[in-house]
Amino acid sequence: FFLTHCSSSFAPRARKRRPMSEEEEEVQDQKQTIDAKCKATLACATMLVEYEACQARIEAKGSGSCEGQYGDWVHCVDACAAKSLFSKLK
């Protein structure tokens, strides 16, 4: 009884968004922009090539995993993005 009775009063409420005027711009996600730049760096692009080569080997063999190569690539992008991302947060 207590949880069902009280939980409804603590439920998060949806915020109402006011309509944007023509002068206002839609807020853009900075992480996507930064990630795209990081993916194009030589270090991360090299890791992506290694991951794609692994995928091709796995498709040819029919079994295996490229989790290590994928993890290395994602870590490279995240480490690169972290250097500039936090300075752009409000």
Side-chain angles (χ1 to χ4, degrees):
F1 170 76
F2 181 75
L3 291 177
T4 58
H5 179 68
C6 294
S7 64
S8 63
S9 63
F10 293 109
R13 297 179 185 196
R15 286 186 171 178
K16 293 183 180 179
R17 299 181 101 190
R18 65 179 176 83
M20 289 178 46
S21 67
E22 291 182 19
E23 296 85 29
E24 291 179 321
E25 290 185 27
E26 182 71 26
V27 177
Q28 193 173 20
D29 185 6
Q30 293 295 315
K31 180 147 178 22
Q32 291 177 349
T33 305
I34 293 170
D35 278 354
K37 290 178 184 177
C38 288
K39 288 175 184 177
T41 63
L42 180 61
C44 294
T46 302
M47 291 187 181
L48 179 60
V49 169
E50 290 176 14
Y51 170 64
E52 289 172 342
C54 178
Q55 281 185 313
R57 285 193 307 273
I58 297 301
E59 287 178 16
K61 287 193 317 186
S63 65
S65 173
C66 297
E67 290 178 17
Q69 290 83 351
Y70 181 76
D72 291 343
W73 176 63
V74 169
H75 177 74
C76 180
V77 174
D78 285 346
C80 171
K83 294 175 186 175
S84 60
L85 179 65
F86 292 104
S87 66
K88 303 214 184 282
L89 295 177
K90 291 183 180 180

